[in-house]
Amino acid sequence: STQSLPMVGTVTAGTWTGLLLGMFLKSVTETTDLGVWLFGRLHGLAFLGYVVTTVLVGMRLRWPMWALLVALLAAVPPLLTWPVEWWFRRRGLLSDR
């Protein structure tokens, strides 16, 4: 369903946040690498889920190629899935016309 993309995008952004915090704890405070170990794995799974979900939703809603590429690239920088989802909602790209 088209509602799955925002949910998967939120999970991806949340695991990105955990991974960033884990990297801070490992590299800056040098206290633990548990956050990187845990959130690295979770974010990897969330990222793969986001890519698959984005492709399926993009095909179902017949997105133009630029929209599919923007949505896929949004998973790379931390937390970019949220503003891209907002933008796509405003443009009507997340609705079943």
Side-chain angles (χ1 to χ4, degrees):
S1 104
T2 59
Q3 292 305 315
S4 59
L5 186 60
M7 180 182 63
V8 174
T10 298
V11 170
T12 303
T15 57
W16 238 133
T17 303
L19 183 55
L20 290 172
L21 178 60
M23 289 188 291
F24 176 82
L25 293 173
K26 179 180 180 180
S27 301
V28 177
T29 67
E30 298 180 357
T31 54
T32 182
D33 63 351
L34 182 61
V36 173
W37 180 87
L38 176 62
F39 284 103
R41 286 158 174 73
L42 293 175
H43 181 64
L45 287 172
F47 179 83
L48 292 175
Y50 180 83
V51 168
V52 169
T53 303
T54 298
V55 170
L56 293 174
V57 169
M59 288 174 23
R60 180 166 185 241
L61 296 180
R62 301 177 193 262
W63 284 350
M65 186 58 69
W66 69 263
L68 181 59
L69 291 175
V70 166
L72 289 171
L73 290 173
V76 178
L79 310 178
L80 193 59
T81 55
W82 285 333
V84 168
E85 177 196 337
W86 175 81
W87 180 46
F88 276 27
R89 280 193 190 286
R90 288 181 52 105
R91 290 188 60 101
L93 290 170
L94 289 178
S95 62
D96 289 320
R97 301 173 179 121

Coordinates of all heavy atoms in Angstrom, one line a residue:
S1 N 0.8 -1.2 0.0 CA 0.0 0.0 0.0 C 0.9 1.2 0.0 O 2.0 1.2 0.4 CB -0.9 0.0 1.2 OG -0.5 0.8 2.2
T2 N 0.3 2.4 -0.4 CA 1.0 3.6 -0.5 C 1.4 4.1 0.9 O 2.3 5.0 1.0 CB 0.3 4.7 -1.3 OG1 -1.0 4.9 -0.6 CG2 0.0 4.2 -2.7
Q3 N 0.7 3.7 1.9 CA 1.0 4.2 3.3 C 2.2 3.5 3.8 O 2.8 3.9 4.9 CB -0.2 3.9 4.2 CG -1.4 4.8 3.9 CD -1.0 6.3 3.9 OE1 -0.4 6.8 4.8 NE2 -1.5 7.0 2.8
S4 N 2.7 2.4 3.2 CA 3.9 1.7 3.7 C 5.1 2.5 3.5 O 6.1 2.4 4.3 CB 4.0 0.3 3.1 OG 4.1 0.5 1.7
L5 N 5.2 3.3 2.5 CA 6.4 4.1 2.2 C 6.7 5.1 3.3 O 7.9 5.1 3.8 CB 6.4 4.8 0.9 CG 7.7 5.5 0.4 CD1 8.8 4.5 0.4 CD2 7.5 6.2 -0.9
P6 N 5.8 5.9 3.8 CA 6.1 6.8 4.9 C 6.5 6.0 6.2 O 7.4 6.4 6.9 CB 4.8 7.5 5.2 CG 4.1 7.5 3.8 CD 4.4 6.2 3.2
M7 N 5.9 4.9 6.4 CA 6.2 4.1 7.6 C 7.7 3.6 7.5 O 8.5 3.7 8.4 CB 5.3 2.9 7.8 CG 5.6 2.0 9.0 SD 4.5 0.6 9.1 CE 4.9 -0.3 7.7
V8 N 8.0 3.0 6.3 CA 9.4 2.5 6.1 C 10.4 3.7 6.1 O 11.5 3.5 6.6 CB 9.4 1.7 4.8 CG1 10.9 1.2 4.5 CG2 8.5 0.5 4.9
G9 N 10.0 4.8 5.6 CA 10.9 6.0 5.6 C 11.1 6.4 7.0 O 12.2 6.8 7.4
T10 N 10.1 6.4 7.9 CA 10.3 6.8 9.3 C 11.2 5.8 10.0 O 12.1 6.2 10.8 CB 8.9 6.8 10.0 OG1 8.1 7.8 9.4 CG2 9.1 7.2 11.5
V11 N 11.1 4.5 9.7 CA 11.9 3.5 10.3 C 13.4 3.7 9.9 O 14.3 3.7 10.7 CB 11.5 2.1 10.0 CG1 12.5 1.0 10.4 CG2 10.1 1.8 10.7
T12 N 13.6 4.0 8.6 CA 14.9 4.2 8.0 C 15.5 5.5 8.7 O 16.7 5.4 9.1 CB 14.8 4.5 6.5 OG1 14.2 3.3 5.9 CG2 16.2 4.7 5.9
A13 N 14.8 6.5 8.8 CA 15.3 7.7 9.5 C 15.6 7.5 11.0 O 16.6 8.0 11.5 CB 14.3 8.9 9.4
G14 N 14.7 6.7 11.6 CA 15.0 6.4 13.0 C 16.2 5.6 13.3 O 17.0 5.8 14.2
T15 N 16.4 4.6 12.4 CA 17.7 3.8 12.5 C 18.9 4.6 12.1 O 20.0 4.3 12.7 CB 17.6 2.5 11.7 OG1 17.3 2.8 10.3 CG2 16.5 1.6 12.2
W16 N 18.7 5.5 11.2 CA 19.9 6.4 10.8 C 20.2 7.2 12.1 O 21.4 7.4 12.4 CB 19.4 7.4 9.7 CG 20.2 7.4 8.5 CD1 19.7 7.3 7.2 CD2 21.6 7.4 8.3 NE1 20.7 7.4 6.3 CE2 21.9 7.4 6.9 CE3 22.7 7.5 9.2 CZ2 23.2 7.5 6.4 CZ3 24.0 7.6 8.6 CH2 24.2 7.6 7.3
T17 N 19.2 7.7 12.8 CA 19.5 8.5 14.0 C 20.2 7.7 15.0 O 21.2 8.1 15.6 CB 18.2 9.0 14.6 OG1 17.5 9.8 13.6 CG2 18.4 9.9 15.8
G18 N 19.8 6.4 15.2 CA 20.5 5.5 16.2 C 21.9 5.2 15.7 O 22.8 5.2 16.6
L19 N 22.1 5.1 14.4 CA 23.5 4.8 13.9 C 24.4 6.0 14.1 O 25.5 5.9 14.5 CB 23.4 4.4 12.5 CG 24.7 4.0 11.8 CD1 25.5 2.9 12.6 CD2 24.5 3.6 10.4
L20 N 23.8 7.2 13.9 CA 24.6 8.4 14.1 C 25.0 8.6 15.6 O 26.1 8.9 15.9 CB 23.8 9.7 13.6 CG 23.7 9.8 12.1 CD1 22.7 10.9 11.8 CD2 25.0 10.0 11.4
L21 N 24.0 8.3 16.5 CA 24.3 8.4 17.9 C 25.4 7.3 18.3 O 26.3 7.6 19.0 CB 23.1 8.2 18.7 CG 23.2 8.1 20.2 CD1 23.8 9.5 20.7 CD2 21.9 7.9 20.9
G22 N 25.2 6.1 17.7 CA 26.2 5.1 18.0 C 27.6 5.5 17.5 O 28.6 5.2 18.2
M23 N 27.7 6.1 16.3 CA 29.0 6.6 15.8 C 29.6 7.6 16.7 O 30.8 7.7 17.0 CB 28.9 7.1 14.4 CG 28.6 5.9 13.4 SD 28.7 6.4 11.7 CE 27.3 7.4 11.5
F24 N 28.7 8.5 17.3 CA 29.2 9.5 18.2 C 29.8 8.9 19.4 O 30.9 9.2 19.9 CB 28.0 10.5 18.6 CG 28.4 11.5 19.6 CD1 29.1 12.7 19.2 CD2 28.1 11.3 20.9 CE1 29.4 13.6 20.2 CE2 28.5 12.2 21.9 CZ 29.1 13.4 21.5
L25 N 29.0 7.9 20.0 CA 29.5 7.2 21.2 C 30.8 6.5 21.0 O 31.7 6.4 21.8 CB 28.4 6.3 21.8 CG 27.2 7.0 22.3 CD1 26.1 5.9 22.6 CD2 27.5 7.8 23.5
K26 N 30.9 5.9 19.8 CA 32.1 5.1 19.5 C 33.3 6.0 19.2 O 34.4 5.8 19.8 CB 31.9 4.2 18.3 CG 33.1 3.3 17.9 CD 32.8 2.5 16.7 CE 34.0 1.6 16.4 NZ 33.8 0.8 15.2
S27 N 33.1 7.0 18.4 CA 34.3 7.8 17.9 C 34.6 9.0 18.7 O 35.8 9.4 18.8 CB 34.0 8.2 16.5 OG 33.8 7.1 15.6
V28 N 33.6 9.7 19.3 CA 33.8 10.9 20.0 C 34.0 10.6 21.5 O 35.1 11.0 22.1 CB 32.7 11.9 19.8 CG1 32.9 13.2 20.6 CG2 32.6 12.3 18.3
T29 N 33.1 10.0 22.1 CA 33.2 9.7 23.6 C 34.0 8.5 23.9 O 34.5 8.3 25.0 CB 31.8 9.6 24.2 OG1 31.2 8.4 23.8 CG2 31.0 10.8 24.0
E30 N 34.2 7.6 22.8 CA 35.0 6.4 23.0 C 34.5 5.5 24.1 O 35.2 4.9 24.9 CB 36.4 6.6 23.1 CG 37.0 7.3 21.8 CD 38.5 7.6 21.9 OE1 39.1 7.3 22.9 OE2 39.0 8.0 20.9
T31 N 33.1 5.5 24.3 CA 32.6 4.7 25.4 C 32.1 3.3 25.0 O 32.3 2.4 25.8 CB 31.4 5.5 26.1 OG1 30.4 5.8 25.0 CG2 31.8 6.8 26.7
T32 N 31.5 3.2 23.9 CA 30.9 1.9 23.5 C 30.8 1.9 22.0 O 30.5 2.9 21.3 CB 29.6 1.6 24.2 OG1 29.2 0.3 23.8 CG2 28.5 2.6 23.8
D33 N 30.8 0.7 21.4 CA 30.5 0.5 20.0 C 29.2 -0.3 19.8 O 28.9 -0.7 18.7 CB 31.7 -0.1 19.2 CG 32.0 -1.6 19.7 OD1 31.4 -2.0 20.7 OD2 32.8 -2.2 19.0
L34 N 28.5 -0.5 20.9 CA 27.2 -1.2 20.8 C 26.2 -0.6 19.9 O 25.5 -1.2 19.2 CB 26.6 -1.4 22.2 CG 25.3 -2.2 22.3 CD1 25.6 -3.6 21.8 CD2 24.8 -2.2 23.7
G35 N 26.1 0.8 19.9 CA 25.2 1.5 19.1 C 25.4 1.3 17.6 O 24.5 1.1 16.8
V36 N 26.7 1.3 17.2 CA 27.1 1.0 15.8 C 26.8 -0.4 15.5 O 26.2 -0.7 14.4 CB 28.6 1.4 15.6 CG1 29.0 0.9 14.2 CG2 28.9 2.8 15.8
W37 N 27.1 -1.3 16.3 CA 26.8 -2.7 16.1 C 25.3 -3.0 15.9 O 24.9 -3.6 14.9 CB 27.3 -3.6 17.3 CG 27.1 -5.0 17.1 CD1 27.9 -5.9 16.4 CD2 26.0 -5.8 17.5 NE1 27.4 -7.2 16.5 CE2 26.2 -7.1 17.1 CE3 24.8 -5.5 18.2 CZ2 25.3 -8.1 17.4 CZ3 23.9 -6.5 18.5 CH2 24.1 -7.8 18.0
L38 N 24.5 -2.5 16.8 CA 23.1 -2.7 16.7 C 22.4 -1.9 15.6 O 21.7 -2.5 14.7 CB 22.4 -2.3 18.1 CG 20.9 -2.4 18.1 CD1 20.4 -3.9 17.9 CD2 20.4 -1.9 19.4
F39 N 22.6 -0.6 15.6 CA 21.9 0.2 14.6 C 22.5 0.1 13.2 O 21.8 0.4 12.2 CB 21.9 1.7 15.1 CG 20.9 1.9 16.2 CD1 21.3 2.1 17.5 CD2 19.5 2.0 15.9 CE1 20.3 2.2 18.5 CE2 18.6 2.2 16.9 CZ 19.0 2.3 18.2
G40 N 23.7 -0.3 13.1 CA 24.3 -0.6 11.8 C 23.5 -1.7 11.1 O 23.1 -1.6 9.9
R41 N 23.2 -2.8 11.8 CA 22.4 -3.9 11.3 C 21.0 -3.5 11.1 O 20.4 -3.8 10.0 CB 22.5 -5.1 12.3 CG 23.8 -5.7 12.3 CD 24.1 -6.5 13.5 NE 25.3 -7.3 13.5 CZ 26.6 -6.8 13.5 NH1 26.7 -5.5 13.6 NH2 27.6 -7.6 13.5
L42 N 20.4 -2.8 12.0 CA 19.0 -2.4 11.9 C 18.8 -1.4 10.7 O 17.9 -1.6 9.9 CB 18.5 -1.8 13.2 CG 18.3 -2.7 14.4 CD1 17.9 -1.9 15.6 CD2 17.3 -3.8 14.1
H43 N 19.8 -0.5 10.6 CA 19.7 0.4 9.5 C 19.9 -0.2 8.1 O 19.2 0.1 7.1 CB 20.6 1.6 9.6 CG 20.5 2.6 8.5 ND1 19.4 3.4 8.3 CD2 21.4 2.9 7.6 CE1 19.5 4.1 7.3 NE2 20.7 3.9 6.8
G44 N 20.8 -1.2 8.1 CA 20.9 -2.0 6.8 C 19.7 -2.6 6.4 O 19.3 -2.5 5.2
L45 N 19.0 -3.3 7.3 CA 17.7 -3.9 7.0 C 16.6 -2.9 6.6 O 15.9 -3.1 5.6 CB 17.2 -4.7 8.2 CG 17.9 -6.0 8.4 CD1 17.4 -6.6 9.8 CD2 17.7 -7.0 7.3
A46 N 16.6 -1.8 7.4 CA 15.6 -0.7 7.1 C 15.9 -0.1 5.7 O 14.9 0.2 4.9 CB 15.6 0.4 8.2
F47 N 17.1 0.1 5.4 CA 17.5 0.7 4.1 C 17.0 -0.2 2.9 O 16.4 0.2 2.0 CB 19.0 0.9 4.0 CG 19.5 1.5 2.7 CD1 19.4 2.8 2.5 CD2 20.0 0.6 1.7 CE1 19.9 3.3 1.2 CE2 20.4 1.1 0.5 CZ 20.4 2.5 0.3
L48 N 17.3 -1.5 3.1 CA 16.9 -2.4 2.0 C 15.4 -2.5 1.9 O 14.8 -2.5 0.8 CB 17.4 -3.8 2.3 CG 18.9 -4.0 2.2 CD1 19.3 -5.4 2.6 CD2 19.4 -3.7 0.8
G49 N 14.7 -2.4 3.0 CA 13.2 -2.4 3.0 C 12.7 -1.1 2.4 O 11.7 -1.2 1.6
Y50 N 13.4 0.0 2.6 CA 13.0 1.3 2.0 C 13.1 1.2 0.5 O 12.3 1.7 -0.2 CB 13.8 2.4 2.6 CG 13.4 3.8 2.0 CD1 12.3 4.5 2.5 CD2 14.2 4.3 1.0 CE1 12.0 5.7 2.0 CE2 13.8 5.5 0.4 CZ 12.8 6.2 0.9 OH 12.4 7.4 0.4
V51 N 14.3 0.7 0.0 CA 14.5 0.6 -1.4 C 13.4 -0.3 -2.1 O 12.8 0.1 -3.1 CB 15.9 0.1 -1.7 CG1 16.1 -0.3 -3.2 CG2 17.0 1.1 -1.3
V52 N 13.2 -1.4 -1.5 CA 12.2 -2.3 -2.1 C 10.8 -1.7 -2.1 O 10.1 -1.6 -3.1 CB 12.1 -3.7 -1.4 CG1 10.9 -4.5 -1.8 CG2 13.4 -4.4 -1.7
T53 N 10.4 -1.1 -1.0 CA 9.1 -0.4 -0.9 C 9.0 0.7 -1.8 O 7.9 0.9 -2.4 CB 8.8 0.0 0.6 OG1 9.0 -1.1 1.5 CG2 7.5 0.6 0.8
T54 N 10.0 1.5 -1.9 CA 10.0 2.7 -2.8 C 9.8 2.3 -4.3 O 9.0 2.9 -5.0 CB 11.3 3.5 -2.7 OG1 11.4 4.0 -1.3 CG2 11.4 4.7 -3.6
V55 N 10.5 1.2 -4.7 CA 10.4 0.8 -6.1 C 8.9 0.3 -6.3 O 8.3 0.6 -7.3 CB 11.4 -0.3 -6.4 CG1 11.1 -1.0 -7.7 CG2 12.8 0.3 -6.4
L56 N 8.4 -0.5 -5.4 CA 7.0 -1.1 -5.5 C 6.0 0.0 -5.5 O 5.1 0.0 -6.4 CB 6.7 -2.1 -4.4 CG 7.6 -3.4 -4.5 CD1 7.3 -4.2 -3.2 CD2 7.3 -4.1 -5.8
V57 N 6.1 1.0 -4.6 CA 5.1 2.1 -4.6 C 5.3 3.0 -5.8 O 4.3 3.4 -6.4 CB 5.3 2.9 -3.3 CG1 4.5 4.2 -3.3 CG2 4.9 2.1 -2.1
G58 N 6.5 3.2 -6.2 CA 6.7 4.1 -7.4 C 6.1 3.4 -8.7 O 5.6 4.1 -9.5
M59 N 6.3 2.1 -8.8 CA 5.7 1.4 -9.9 C 4.1 1.4 -9.8 O 3.5 1.7 -10.8 CB 6.2 -0.1 -10.0 CG 7.6 -0.2 -10.4 SD 8.4 -1.8 -10.4 CE 7.0 -2.9 -10.4
R60 N 3.6 1.2 -8.6 CA 2.2 1.1 -8.5 C 1.5 2.5 -8.8 O 0.5 2.6 -9.4 CB 1.8 0.7 -7.0 CG 0.3 0.7 -6.8 CD 0.0 0.0 -5.5 NE -1.5 -0.1 -5.4 CZ -2.1 0.4 -4.4 NH1 -1.5 1.1 -3.4 NH2 -3.4 0.3 -4.4
L61 N 2.2 3.6 -8.3 CA 1.7 4.9 -8.5 C 2.1 5.6 -9.8 O 1.8 6.7 -10.1 CB 2.0 5.8 -7.3 CG 1.4 5.4 -6.0 CD1 1.8 6.3 -4.9 CD2 -0.1 5.3 -6.1
R62 N 2.9 4.8 -10.6 CA 3.4 5.3 -11.9 C 4.2 6.6 -11.8 O 3.9 7.5 -12.5 CB 2.3 5.4 -12.9 CG 1.6 4.0 -13.2 CD 0.5 4.2 -14.1 NE -0.4 3.1 -14.1 CZ -0.3 2.1 -15.0 NH1 0.6 2.1 -16.0 NH2 -1.2 1.0 -14.9
W63 N 5.1 6.6 -10.9 CA 5.9 7.8 -10.7 C 6.8 8.0 -11.9 O 7.3 7.1 -12.5 CB 6.8 7.7 -9.5 CG 6.2 7.8 -8.2 CD1 5.0 8.3 -7.9 CD2 6.8 7.5 -6.9 NE1 4.8 8.3 -6.5 CE2 5.9 7.8 -5.9 CE3 8.1 7.1 -6.5 CZ2 6.2 7.7 -4.6 CZ3 8.3 6.9 -5.2 CH2 7.4 7.2 -4.2
P64 N 7.1 9.3 -12.2 CA 8.1 9.5 -13.3 C 9.5 9.1 -12.7 O 9.7 9.0 -11.5 CB 8.0 11.1 -13.5 CG 7.3 11.6 -12.3 CD 6.5 10.5 -11.7
M65 N 10.4 8.9 -13.6 CA 11.7 8.4 -13.2 C 12.4 9.3 -12.2 O 13.0 8.9 -11.3 CB 12.6 8.2 -14.4 CG 13.9 7.6 -14.1 SD 13.8 5.9 -13.3 CE 13.2 4.9 -14.6
W66 N 12.2 10.7 -12.4 CA 12.9 11.6 -11.5 C 12.4 11.4 -10.0 O 13.2 11.5 -9.1 CB 12.7 13.1 -11.9 CG 11.3 13.6 -11.8 CD1 10.3 13.6 -12.8 CD2 10.6 14.1 -10.6 NE1 9.1 14.1 -12.3 CE2 9.3 14.4 -11.0 CE3 11.0 14.3 -9.3 CZ2 8.4 15.0 -10.0 CZ3 10.1 14.8 -8.4 CH2 8.8 15.1 -8.8
A67 N 11.1 11.1 -9.9 CA 10.5 11.0 -8.5 C 11.0 9.7 -7.9 O 11.4 9.7 -6.7 CB 9.0 10.9 -8.6
L68 N 11.2 8.6 -8.7 CA 11.7 7.4 -8.1 C 13.2 7.6 -7.7 O 13.6 7.1 -6.6 CB 11.6 6.3 -9.2 CG 12.1 4.9 -8.8 CD1 11.3 4.4 -7.5 CD2 12.0 3.9 -9.9
L69 N 13.9 8.3 -8.5 CA 15.3 8.5 -8.2 C 15.5 9.4 -7.0 O 16.3 9.1 -6.1 CB 16.1 9.1 -9.4 CG 16.3 8.2 -10.6 CD1 16.9 8.9 -11.7 CD2 17.1 7.0 -10.2
V70 N 14.7 10.4 -6.9 CA 14.7 11.3 -5.7 C 14.4 10.5 -4.4 O 15.0 10.6 -3.4 CB 13.8 12.5 -5.8 CG1 13.5 13.2 -4.5 CG2 14.3 13.5 -6.9
A71 N 13.3 9.7 -4.5 CA 12.9 8.9 -3.3 C 14.0 7.9 -2.9 O 14.2 7.7 -1.8 CB 11.6 8.2 -3.6
L72 N 14.6 7.3 -3.9 CA 15.7 6.3 -3.6 C 16.9 7.0 -3.0 O 17.5 6.6 -2.0 CB 16.1 5.5 -4.8 CG 15.1 4.5 -5.3 CD1 15.5 3.9 -6.7 CD2 14.9 3.4 -4.3
L73 N 17.3 8.1 -3.6 CA 18.4 8.9 -3.1 C 18.2 9.5 -1.7 O 19.1 9.7 -1.0 CB 18.9 10.0 -4.1 CG 19.5 9.4 -5.4 CD1 19.7 10.6 -6.4 CD2 20.8 8.7 -5.1
A74 N 16.9 9.7 -1.4 CA 16.6 10.3 -0.1 C 17.0 9.4 1.1 O 17.2 9.9 2.2 CB 15.1 10.6 0.0
A75 N 17.2 8.1 0.8 CA 17.6 7.2 1.9 C 19.1 7.3 2.2 O 19.5 6.7 3.3 CB 17.2 5.7 1.5
V76 N 19.9 7.9 1.4 CA 21.3 8.0 1.6 C 21.7 9.0 2.7 O 22.3 8.7 3.7 CB 22.0 8.2 0.3 CG1 23.5 8.2 0.5 CG2 21.7 7.0 -0.6
P77 N 21.4 10.3 2.5 CA 21.7 11.3 3.6 C 20.8 11.1 4.8 O 19.6 10.7 4.7 CB 21.5 12.6 3.0 CG 21.3 12.4 1.5 CD 20.8 11.0 1.3
P78 N 21.4 11.2 6.0 CA 20.6 11.0 7.2 C 19.3 11.9 7.2 O 19.4 13.1 6.9 CB 21.5 11.4 8.3 CG 22.9 11.3 7.7 CD 22.8 11.6 6.3
L79 N 18.2 11.3 7.5 CA 16.9 11.9 7.8 C 16.3 12.6 6.6 O 15.3 13.3 6.7 CB 17.0 12.9 8.9 CG 17.7 12.3 10.2 CD1 17.8 13.4 11.3 CD2 17.0 11.1 10.7
L80 N 16.7 12.4 5.4 CA 16.2 13.1 4.2 C 14.8 12.5 3.8 O 14.1 13.1 3.0 CB 17.2 13.1 3.0 CG 16.8 14.0 1.9 CD1 16.7 15.5 2.3 CD2 17.9 13.9 0.8
T81 N 14.5 11.3 4.2 CA 13.3 10.7 3.8 C 12.1 11.5 4.3 O 11.0 11.5 3.6 CB 13.2 9.2 4.3 OG1 13.4 9.2 5.7 CG2 14.2 8.3 3.6
W82 N 12.2 12.1 5.5 CA 11.1 12.9 6.0 C 10.7 14.1 5.1 O 9.5 14.2 4.7 CB 11.3 13.3 7.4 CG 11.1 12.2 8.4 CD1 10.4 11.1 8.3 CD2 11.8 12.1 9.7 NE1 10.5 10.3 9.4 CE2 11.4 10.9 10.2 CE3 12.7 12.9 10.3 CZ2 11.8 10.5 11.5 CZ3 13.1 12.5 11.6 CH2 12.7 11.3 12.1
P83 N 11.6 15.0 4.7 CA 11.2 16.1 3.9 C 10.8 15.7 2.5 O 9.9 16.3 1.9 CB 12.5 17.0 3.8 CG 13.6 16.2 4.4 CD 13.0 15.1 5.2
V84 N 11.4 14.6 2.0 CA 11.0 14.1 0.6 C 9.6 13.6 0.7 O 8.8 13.8 -0.2 CB 12.0 13.0 0.1 CG1 11.4 12.3 -1.1 CG2 13.3 13.7 -0.2
E85 N 9.2 12.9 1.8 CA 7.8 12.4 1.9 C 6.9 13.6 2.0 O 5.8 13.6 1.3 CB 7.7 11.6 3.2 CG 6.3 11.1 3.4 CD 6.0 10.6 4.9 OE1 7.0 10.2 5.5 OE2 4.8 10.7 5.3
W86 N 7.2 14.6 2.7 CA 6.4 15.8 2.8 C 6.2 16.4 1.5 O 5.1 16.8 1.1 CB 7.0 16.8 3.8 CG 6.3 18.1 3.9 CD1 5.2 18.4 4.7 CD2 6.7 19.3 3.3 NE1 4.9 19.7 4.5 CE2 5.8 20.3 3.6 CE3 7.7 19.6 2.4 CZ2 5.8 21.6 3.2 CZ3 7.8 20.9 1.9 CH2 6.8 21.9 2.3
W87 N 7.3 16.6 0.7 CA 7.2 17.2 -0.6 C 6.4 16.3 -1.5 O 5.6 16.9 -2.3 CB 8.7 17.3 -1.1 CG 8.8 17.9 -2.5 CD1 8.2 19.0 -3.0 CD2 9.6 17.4 -3.5 NE1 8.5 19.3 -4.3 CE2 9.5 18.3 -4.6 CE3 10.5 16.4 -3.7 CZ2 10.1 18.1 -5.8 CZ3 11.2 16.2 -4.9 CH2 11.0 17.1 -5.9
F88 N 6.5 15.0 -1.5 CA 5.8 14.1 -2.4 C 4.3 14.2 -2.0 O 3.4 14.1 -2.9 CB 6.3 12.7 -2.2 CG 7.4 12.4 -3.1 CD1 8.3 13.3 -3.6 CD2 7.7 11.1 -3.6 CE1 9.4 13.0 -4.4 CE2 8.7 10.7 -4.4 CZ 9.6 11.7 -4.8
R89 N 4.0 14.3 -0.7 CA 2.5 14.4 -0.3 C 1.9 15.7 -0.9 O 0.8 15.7 -1.4 CB 2.4 14.5 1.2 CG 2.4 13.1 1.8 CD 2.0 13.2 3.3 NE 2.3 11.9 3.9 CZ 1.6 10.8 3.7 NH1 0.6 10.8 2.9 NH2 1.9 9.7 4.3
R90 N 2.7 16.8 -0.8 CA 2.2 18.1 -1.3 C 2.0 18.0 -2.8 O 1.1 18.7 -3.4 CB 3.2 19.2 -1.0 CG 3.1 19.6 0.5 CD 4.0 20.7 0.9 NE 3.8 21.8 0.0 CZ 3.2 23.0 0.4 NH1 2.7 23.1 1.6 NH2 3.0 23.9 -0.4
R91 N 2.8 17.3 -3.5 CA 2.7 17.2 -5.0 C 1.7 16.1 -5.4 O 1.5 15.9 -6.6 CB 4.1 16.8 -5.6 CG 5.1 17.9 -5.5 CD 6.3 17.6 -6.3 NE 6.0 17.4 -7.7 CZ 6.2 18.2 -8.7 NH1 6.7 19.4 -8.4 NH2 6.0 17.9 -9.9
G92 N 1.2 15.4 -4.5 CA 0.2 14.3 -4.8 C 0.8 13.0 -5.3 O 0.1 12.2 -5.8
L93 N 2.1 12.8 -5.0 CA 2.7 11.6 -5.5 C 2.5 10.4 -4.6 O 2.9 9.3 -5.0 CB 4.2 11.9 -5.7 CG 4.6 12.8 -6.8 CD1 6.1 13.2 -6.7 CD2 4.3 12.2 -8.2
L94 N 1.9 10.6 -3.5 CA 1.7 9.5 -2.6 C 0.2 9.1 -2.5 O -0.2 8.4 -1.5 CB 2.2 9.8 -1.2 CG 3.7 9.8 -1.1 CD1 4.2 10.2 0.4 CD2 4.3 8.5 -1.5
S95 N -0.6 9.6 -3.4 CA -2.0 9.2 -3.4 C -2.4 8.4 -4.6 O -1.8 8.5 -5.6 CB -2.9 10.5 -3.4 OG -2.6 11.2 -4.6
D96 N -3.4 7.5 -4.3 CA -3.9 6.6 -5.4 C -4.9 7.4 -6.2 O -6.1 7.3 -6.1 CB -4.6 5.4 -4.8 CG -3.7 4.4 -4.2 OD1 -2.6 4.2 -4.8 OD2 -4.0 3.9 -3.1
R97 N -4.5 8.2 -7.0 CA -5.3 9.1 -7.9 C -6.7 8.7 -8.1 O -7.2 7.8 -8.3 CB -4.6 9.4 -9.2 CG -3.3 10.0 -8.9 CD -2.5 10.1 -10.1 NE -1.3 10.7 -9.7 CZ -0.1 10.2 -9.8 NH1 0.1 9.1 -10.4 NH2 1.0 10.8 -9.3

